[in-house]
Amino acid sequence: PMGSYTIEDGRFILTDDELDKEYSFKVDGSDLIFDADQSSEIPVIDGNTVPDGLRFTYSEEPVQ
């Protein structure tokens, strides 16, 4: 997917321009917390999807 993002009122809004979808995250310091209620439906791939409340943490170090 290709798109853009904005940050508004403590929310990170990711817009997928190809699929016309929008995904919302609450900004918590350097973390983003997925908000399923405010987002387009996430597709299921290989039986998995992104659950509501999943925390994405920025790190300069590789995650192992």
Side-chain angles (χ1 to χ4, degrees), residues 27-61:
V27 177
D28 184 20
S30 62
D31 293 355
L32 299 176
I33 303 169
F34 181 62
D35 184 349
D37 291 337
Q38 298 296 315
S39 299
S40 299
E41 186 174 342
I42 297 273
V44 176
I45 300 173
D46 293 333
N48 297 304
T49 191
V50 178
D52 185 46
L54 182 66
R55 182 177 291 266
F56 293 85
T57 302
Y58 175 77
S59 174
E60 292 185 16
E61 299 297 319

Side-chain angles (χ1 to χ4, degrees), residues 8-42:
E8 303 170 8
D9 299 323
R11 303 197 76 71
F12 179 93
I13 311 295
L14 176 63
T15 303
D16 180 334
D17 296 330
E18 291 183 352
L19 300 175
D20 195 32
K21 305 280 184 177
E22 195 170 86
Y23 305 102
S24 179
F25 301 80
K26 177 184 174 197
V27 177
D28 184 20
S30 62
D31 293 355
L32 299 176
I33 303 169
F34 181 62
D35 184 349
D37 291 337
Q38 298 296 315
S39 299
S40 299
E41 186 174 342
I42 297 273

